[in-house]
Amino acid sequence: MGERDRGVVLYACAALLLAGGGAWWFATAPRAEADPQIEQWRATAERLLPDIDQQEEAHTVPLAPNSDRELTANVGNGEYLVTVLCVGGEQSQVRVSLGDAGTDTGRGLSCGDDRQSSDFTVGSAGQFRMNVSVNDAGPVVFRYSLLRQAGS
């Protein structure tokens, strides 16, 4: 076998190995299945706490059971009205805190039938940070909005 034939065989084997690895990669990748319940809860959260022109930031996040998530936003200095809401199954709850995880008790929200938003005021120096913890009855959809207070 000549040198040219060995090169062809080598390149063919490399191409075959690359094609097989690519096929394996895509075949074993986890499927991103959209849960219709999550999409329904997202629509409910956005209907109950809609976007308004004056808000600085708003975000909707699906969260798994027993999960903790830190949500951040870059905002200007000043005082903000924070409105939070969660939508989920029966017995699902979230705890919202503004301190470092585990350093304050935060505020609890029921995500089941009682889908009431909760408001509180917070001062910000350019970075808003909020920790959200979900109980084991999740998943839930969590939504928040930040509205700059007049005069700040």
Side-chain angles (χ1 to χ4, degrees), residues 51-111:
D51 287 333
I52 58 174
D53 292 337
Q54 299 84 9
Q55 73 191 19
E56 287 282 322
E57 177 82 20
H59 199 60
T60 306
V61 183
L63 299 168
N66 291 320
S67 65
D68 296 316
R69 177 92 177 260
E70 181 180 75
L71 303 172
T72 60
N74 291 322
V75 294
N77 296 343
E79 196 168 90
Y80 290 86
L81 176 67
V82 181
T83 305
V84 293
L85 170 81
C86 69
V87 180
E90 195 175 315
Q91 309 267 332
S92 60
Q93 298 175 335
V94 298
R95 181 152 299 278
V96 178
S97 63
L98 297 177
D100 291 330
T103 61
D104 69 37
T105 60
R107 179 178 298 227
L109 291 171
S110 174
C111 306

